[in-house]
């Protein structure tokens, strides 16, 4: 008998393409995905799957050549680097006009209401608007205005929305975490790309980051807001969670206890190259800690961890590699679960 699963698809920018590979592996093994909850790219992939259009979406993103990707970047310098109208317009063409309550399985998209500083669940109404709001990555995509609410990426408060499926009465809850700091043995498959394209894409993103108009007060407000939201949560986390989320530093001087805030130390990681990098790296640090908090509070039956280091937040041109990686990680994780079960 097929096991009915509640699938939770987390936030993580371009790494969200790995969700497609995970779904493919689950279906290949005969699991019945009975409901789905998602955040950001998890909400997009989950919504398209619930609408029965995932094959068409996968074929589209894998068929994009390098110029196609650049053409989808509709530059904006107002509350985000990219308007997103071209990308989400194509998604609307694939999915069509459909309401969440008319999908073949229950679906929840999670967004963040910046105006009231609260989490929003979309469980009815326009699917397209729910996906667009949930995936409005701060600094990268412009927010969605809904009445007096400014809606942005749900990952700001809940990058792994397990709670919406807890009462689903499924056999298993399977969560896909795109912000894992473990599983360092996984690497993206190598797919050769013209160096000129990668250079042009990186140059474009760097240029967008250096011209975002809210790089002073609004960027500072966003960083302060995320820290304000994060502090009370991290105080509740056990030390191992905090240690795994903290950046690794190499301290100078005597070995032993870490240096104080005034002591000298060298950070191994290279710093952000632009404002866009700075905001996205800050966003990812926050998401990593919040995801671990959610996992600790509501442990799923199966946790599929995709390491966040495999690609940068905005490398959306790596769809084929990320789909293949998601499929491989899901295969390994499910192999372990099924062998322990039997």
């Amino acid at each position: 008998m097929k096991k009915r699963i509640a699938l939770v698809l987390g936030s993580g920018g371009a790494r969200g393409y790995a969700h497609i590979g995970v779904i493919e592996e689950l279906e290949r093994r005969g699991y019945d995905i009975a409901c789905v909850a998602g955040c950001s790219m998890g909400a997009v992939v989950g919504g398209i799957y619930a609408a029965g259009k995932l094959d068409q979406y996968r074929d589209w993103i894998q068929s994009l050549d390098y110029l196609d990707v650049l053409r989808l970047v509709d530059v904006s310098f107002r509350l985000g680097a990219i308007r997103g109208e071209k990308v989400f317009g194509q998604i609307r063409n694939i999915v069509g006009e459909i309401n969440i309550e008319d999908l073949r399985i229950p679906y929840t998209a999670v967004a963040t209401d910046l105006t009231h500083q609260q989490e929003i669940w979309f469980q009815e109404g326009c699917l397209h608007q729910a996906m667009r709001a949930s995936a409005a990555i701060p600094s990268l995509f412009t927010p969605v205005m809904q009445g007096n609410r400014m809606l942005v990426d749900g990952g700001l408060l809940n990058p792994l929305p397990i709670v919406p499926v807890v009462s689903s009465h499924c056999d298993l809850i399977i969560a896909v975490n795109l912000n894992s700091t473990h599983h360092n043995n996984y690497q993206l498959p190598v797919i050769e790309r013209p160096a000129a394209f990668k250079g042009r894409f990186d140059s474009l993103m760097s240029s967008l980051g250096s011209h975002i108009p809210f790089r002073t007060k609004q960027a500072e407000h966003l960083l302060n807001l995320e820290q304000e939201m994060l502090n009370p949560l991290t105080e509740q986390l056990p030390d191992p969670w905090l240690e795994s989320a903290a950046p690794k530093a190499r301290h100078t001087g005597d070995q032993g206890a870490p240096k104080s805030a005034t002591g000298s130390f060298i950070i191994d990681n290279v710093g952000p190259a632009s404002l866009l990098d700075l905001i996205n790296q800050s966003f990812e640090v926050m998401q990593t800690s919040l995801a671990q908090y959610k996992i600790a509070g509501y442990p799923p039956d199966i946790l599929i961890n995709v390491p966040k280091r495999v690609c940068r937040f905005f490398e959306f041109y790596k769809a084929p590699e990320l789909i293949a990686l998601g499929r491989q990680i899901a295969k390994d994780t499910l192999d372990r679960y099924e062998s322990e079960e039997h």
Side-chain angles (χ1 to χ4, degrees):
M1 183 178 177
K2 286 185 177 182
K3 285 193 174 181
R4 298 177 72 254
I5 66 171
L7 183 61
V8 180
L9 303 177
S11 170
R15 291 188 300 277
Y17 287 138
H19 290 317
I20 298 174
V22 171
I23 290 172
E24 289 176 351
E25 183 62 21
L26 288 170
E27 291 192 323
R28 188 186 72 82
R29 291 173 181 250
Y31 288 92
D32 177 20
I33 301 175
C35 68
V36 61
C39 175
S40 193
M41 273 295 286
V44 173
V45 173
I48 295 171
Y49 173 78
K53 302 293 185 178
L54 191 60
D55 288 346
Q56 294 93 314
Y57 177 68
R58 181 198 60 224
D59 292 344
W60 172 61
I61 60 174
Q62 292 194 130
S63 71
L64 295 175
D65 64 24
Y66 310 111
L67 289 178
D68 288 334
V69 175
L70 290 176
R71 291 190 187 104
L72 289 170
V73 180
D74 47 357
V75 178
S76 169
F77 297 121
R78 183 179 180 275
L79 295 180
I82 300 170
R83 287 192 298 273
E85 293 174 4
K86 292 183 180 179
V87 172
F88 284 95
Q90 183 61 37
I91 291 174
R92 185 194 292 270
N93 291 338
I94 292 172
V95 175
E97 299 293 340
I98 187 171
N99 286 336
I100 294 172
E101 54 268 34
D102 297 325
L103 296 172
R104 58 197 180 99
I105 58 175
Y107 166 81
T108 303
V110 176
T112 298
D113 177 2
L114 275 186
T115 306
H116 302 98
Q117 298 188 17
Q118 63 184 13
E119 184 176 326
I120 301 294
W121 292 6
F122 286 93
Q123 295 179 318
E124 59 182 19
C126 176
L127 173 64
H128 179 81
Q129 185 177 48
M131 294 190 296
R132 177 66 180 86
S134 182
I137 301 169
S139 80
L140 190 57
F141 288 107
T142 55
V144 171
M145 300 305 300
Q146 189 180 77
N148 67 339
R149 300 190 302 187
M150 177 181 284
L151 302 178
V152 297
D153 195 311
L156 200 62
L157 288 176
N158 191 353
L160 196 63
I162 299 172
V163 175
V165 304
V166 168
S167 61
S168 63
H169 304 296
C170 290
D171 299 314
L172 296 171
I173 295 177
I174 298 180
V176 185
N177 174 27
L178 301 180
N179 295 285
S180 173
T181 55
H182 306 295
H183 295 271
N184 292 329
N185 54 312
Y186 286 112
Q187 302 287 341
L188 278 184
V190 176
I191 297 179
E192 293 298 329
R193 301 178 183 279
F197 167 75
K198 184 180 185 303
R200 288 176 64 187
F201 188 87
D202 288 346
S203 176
L204 172 64
M205 300 310 293
S206 177
S207 175
L208 292 176
S210 64
H211 289 89
I212 296 175
F214 59 108
R215 59 180 175 273
T216 52
K217 292 183 179 179
Q218 286 164 309
E220 183 179 351
H221 172 70
L222 178 61
L223 296 176
N224 289 339
L225 176 62
E226 73 177 32
Q227 191 60 49
E228 177 185 329
M229 293 175 172
L230 183 58
N231 283 340
L233 297 177
T234 54
E235 287 172 1
Q236 301 176 47
L237 290 172
D239 288 343
W241 290 117
L242 294 176
E243 289 172 3
S244 64
K248 297 294 188 292
R250 185 175 71 254
H251 297 272
T252 60
D254 297 336
Q255 300 296 317
K259 291 284 186 182
S260 67
T262 57
S264 60
F265 62 90
I266 300 173
I267 300 294
D268 288 331
N269 295 329
V270 177
S274 68
L275 177 63
L276 188 63
D277 266 340
L278 171 63
I279 296 176
N280 283 331
Q281 284 184 28
S282 300
F283 189 47
E284 288 205 300
V285 168
M286 180 189 65
Q287 284 192 117
T288 298
S289 292
L290 284 175
Q292 291 167 343
Y293 172 77
K294 298 297 181 182
I295 293 166
Y298 298 92
D301 298 291
I302 301 175
L303 179 62
I304 297 174
N305 280 309
V306 176
K308 69 176 182 179
R309 58 159 189 80
V310 296
C311 80
R312 290 180 295 174
F313 206 69
F314 49 77
E315 292 182 315
F316 288 96
Y317 59 89
K318 293 185 176 181
E321 297 97 324
L322 288 160
I323 292 172
L325 180 67
R327 190 184 305 116
Q328 182 61 52
I329 295 176
K331 178 181 181 300
D332 295 343
T333 304
L334 293 170
D335 281 346
R336 288 192 295 271
Y337 169 77
E338 290 171 0
S339 65
E340 292 171 0
E341 189 182 33
H342 300 310

